Amino acid sequence: MINIELPTYTGKELRQTSMKPIGEWFEFLHAECPICSHKGYCAIHIIDGKPISIMCMRESYFDGVEGKASSTGQGTTFLISRSASKRVKVKPTIQQNSLKKANPDILDKVYRIVLSFFELTEPHREVLMQERKLSAQTIKATMFGSFYKPQNDGPQQIVSGEQATIWPELFEKNGLPKDIWKGVPGFSAIVNNNVVIPVFSCREGLLIPYRNQHGQIVGLQTREDRSTYSVDVKTYPNKILSKAPTVFVSEKLDGSIYYRTYATDPNAKDLSVRFTLKPGLNVVEIPGIGDVTFEATKSAKYLWVSTANKDFGTASNTSLNIAVVNNNTTSNRSGLASTFTENGVFVTEGGLKSIVIAEHLAKVFSERELTQYGKSVVGIPGVSNWNSFVRFCLQNKINRVTCAFDMDFLTNKNVKESYSKLISALLNENIEVKVAVWDATVAKGLDDLIADNLLKPQVRVIN
């Protein structure tokens, strides 16, 4: 049980999830998780406005207290002390007609059509090639996409002049039922005069497909182009205002930063003001009231495509991504492999990172070494989600694992603890464990080490 002082939430920072009991779990969408200080993924359990516990998807320790591993293998739960908690205002948003997630075969068929429709933009292609050092072959085989709204030059989903979208026709052209979209995260519906009109929506940015061991696309993540920020107001004219004003900081597509404030009436019209965001304290003026100081920190850029809070929508869940060295089997091709035949795998954090590592491993390791260390790279959502990876190894009879997480585990206590738990769990299942290490001053992650520097890490056996 943790003794923690929660901030005052207005209800806009939290998004209701599909976790059971329905209506009691809320994601830290526009607020920082008190455990890991990141936005997204983590959630808080609230009953009648009373916070009960926090499920952190990244850390397993907080202030010397070890959380309890979730029964689903995703995240760690921390009970909140009653003396420390206070009532939280939340706005239930999840719909009663939310749909159960479809099976992998349907997800794969629908997501391939979605990614073909939302084609990869040239700026995103350049990022993947120039910054992430991915080849044109891998980019094409992986089927990255780009999602933008029509007002930002994205393709139009609504059929002009009609109460319809392009999706039913697209599905039929591909030999699929018109309503195959039901149960696919990212899809929801506009209901007009009892007509159900399917639409696809997510945050604008690069679409990253997550594949299972059979090469099927079972989930999507968005890498946001625009950063979102959490804001902590430090000082304000308390002689004029009875409580701290709400400050929002946002980033436009061109990289410019704006702020807007709600000083008294949350429903009043506000004015966005362009400014230069500084590290540490920022000072802005509310006209007629005075100066407000605040700190703003960036939130997570990778978000799961999910429509749990929309009509006929479907919740996503964290998935593993399996990428294969040299793109020669399973995950990076159009056909599907019937079984997963690898006995050894690399494991790292993040889907895109696993794809980059798989692209470049053969440049620094010999065929013999890859046979020993692994020819597939599994990307997990976070080190604290190690349980799901252990289950994957047992289900697929993996007997050799090479861990390749970012080197910040040396300085981050919580990450180090989760890393240690993962290794112990693998060893307890008689799985051979190796750890890839390198000079942290050269590169933070293995993707940067081998893609940018073409350097081979040291691989150490753990007994």
Side-chain angles (χ1 to χ4, degrees):
M1 186 169 290
I2 57 174
N3 194 330
I4 189 170
E5 184 65 27
L6 294 173
T8 300
Y9 298 119
T10 65
K12 296 180 179 180
E13 305 95 332
L14 307 176
R15 178 177 68 179
Q16 191 169 336
T17 74
S18 61
M19 293 170 60
K20 296 181 180 180
I22 297 293
E24 295 183 3
W25 282 97
F26 296 81
E27 179 187 4
F28 290 105
L29 184 64
H30 298 299
E32 291 183 359
C33 167
I35 306 299
C36 66
S37 300
H38 288 84
K39 289 182 182 179
Y41 306 152
C42 307
I44 184 170
H45 187 193
I46 301 171
I47 299 178
D48 296 329
K50 191 73 173 176
I52 306 300
S53 63
I54 293 171
M55 180 179 289
C56 183
M57 298 299 184
R58 301 176 179 86
E59 310 290 3
S60 55
Y61 280 82
F62 176 77
D63 199 23
V65 176
E66 181 179 10
K68 181 180 179 181
S70 167
S71 58
T72 63
Q74 298 176 351
T76 304
T77 301
F78 297 84
L79 293 177
I80 301 173
S81 170
R82 292 185 178 181
S83 61
S85 62
K86 56 185 176 184
R87 296 189 67 82
V88 178
K89 180 181 178 181
V90 291
K91 181 181 179 181
T93 55
I94 199 164
Q95 303 297 325
Q96 294 301 314
N97 54 7
S98 59
L99 304 176
K100 182 181 178 181
K101 191 174 182 179
N103 64 52
D105 184 55
I106 290 177
L107 294 173
D108 180 67
K109 290 176 180 177
V110 173
Y111 280 143
R112 287 178 184 273
I113 294 173
V114 168
L115 292 168
S116 296
F117 181 74
F118 294 109
E119 293 182 320
L120 188 68
T121 62
E122 286 307 311
H124 282 160
R125 187 183 306 277
E126 185 175 345
V127 167
L128 292 172
M129 295 186 73
Q130 300 299 322
E131 295 183 16
R132 306 313 296 257
K133 303 295 190 296
L134 290 176
S135 66
Q137 176 189 359
T138 295
I139 293 172
K140 181 180 179 179
T142 304
M143 293 190 70
F144 292 103
S146 299
F147 179 83
Y148 288 104
K149 297 176 182 177
Q151 59 265 37
N152 291 322
D153 297 326
Q156 179 64 259
Q157 298 182 58
I158 305 294
V159 178
S160 180
E162 299 181 24
Q163 289 187 352
T165 60
I166 51 87
W167 298 111
E169 183 180 348
L170 269 181
F171 296 142
E172 274 200 323
K173 282 184 178 180
N174 285 273
L176 302 173
K178 286 185 177 182
D179 64 349
I180 195 172
W181 59 270
K182 292 182 178 180
V184 178
F187 277 94
S188 58
I190 301 170
V191 182
N192 194 343
N193 294 325
N194 293 323
V195 178
V196 178
I197 306 170
V199 292
F200 181 89
S201 61
C202 63
R203 304 297 284 268
E204 293 184 310
L206 173 69
L207 289 172
I208 303 168
Y210 268 63
R211 285 177 165 83
N212 63 13
Q213 65 269 37
H214 307 302
Q216 295 170 306
I217 302 174
V218 293
L220 295 178
Q221 265 193 345
T222 304
R223 184 188 186 276
E224 289 189 289
D225 288 340
R226 291 179 285 183
S227 298
T228 53
Y229 295 83
S230 59
V231 177
D232 182 15
V233 175
K234 297 296 185 181
T235 64
Y236 60 95
N238 53 18
K239 292 183 178 180
I240 300 176
L241 300 177
S242 59
K243 62 179 182 179
T246 301
V247 180
F248 293 96
V249 174
S250 60
E251 181 177 312
K252 305 297 183 183
L253 284 173
D254 63 3
S256 57
I257 307 294
Y258 286 74
Y259 78 88
R260 66 186 192 274
T261 61
Y262 294 126
T264 52
D265 183 2
N267 298 313
K269 292 183 179 180
D270 64 300
L271 181 66
S272 292
V273 180
R274 184 169 180 167
F275 80 118
T276 301
L277 183 65
K278 302 175 182 177
L281 284 179
N282 289 265
V283 182
V284 299
E285 180 183 1
I286 301 178
I289 294 179
D291 289 346
V292 173
T293 63
F294 64 86
E295 290 184 351
T297 54
K298 284 187 178 182
S299 62
K301 291 181 73 72
Y302 294 89
L303 298 173
W304 290 105
V305 171
S306 177
T307 41
N309 59 333
K310 296 186 178 182
D311 280 333
F312 294 96
T314 302
S316 180
N317 51 22
T318 54
S319 304
L320 305 180
N321 182 64
I322 291 80
V324 181
V325 176
N326 293 333
N327 306 326
N328 53 9
T329 55
T330 59
S331 68
N332 288 327
R333 65 189 185 94
S334 298
L336 301 180
S338 59
T339 58
F340 185 74
T341 59
E342 300 290 340
N343 297 122
V345 297
F346 280 80
V347 60
T348 191
E349 183 176 358
L352 181 56
K353 188 185 291 286
S354 66
I355 296 168
V356 174
I357 292 174
E359 164 89 4
H360 298 284
L361 274 179
K363 298 177 182 178
V364 297
F365 288 111
S366 66
E367 179 67 20
R368 181 179 178 182
E369 288 173 319
L370 288 176
T371 300
Q372 182 182 4
Y373 302 150
K375 292 185 178 181
S376 296
V377 184
V378 179
I380 64 176
V383 186
S384 62
N385 289 292
W386 55 267
N387 273 328
S388 58
F389 174 68
V390 174
R391 286 201 306 272
F392 169 83
C393 291
L394 296 176
Q395 291 167 359
N396 292 279
K397 299 180 180 179
I398 304 297
N399 53 36
R400 300 187 310 280
V401 171
T402 302
C403 299
F405 294 98
D406 289 358
M407 291 300 290
D408 61 356
F409 79 87
L410 294 173
T411 55
N412 187 317
K413 179 182 176 181
N414 290 323
V415 173
K416 190 174 183 178
E417 292 288 351
S418 293
Y419 206 165
S420 177
K421 285 185 175 183
L422 167 61
I423 292 172
S424 296
L426 292 172
L427 292 175
N428 287 339
E429 298 294 344
N430 295 315
I431 296 174
E432 181 182 312
V433 180
K434 298 180 179 69
V435 174
V437 294
W438 56 91
D439 185 349
T441 62
V442 175
K444 178 185 177 184
L446 181 60
D447 53 334
D448 300 322
L449 183 76
I450 61 178
D452 294 339
N453 303 284
L454 291 179
L455 296 176
K456 180 190 294 188
Q458 298 179 36
V459 180
R460 300 172 180 173
V461 177
I462 305 297
N463 297 315

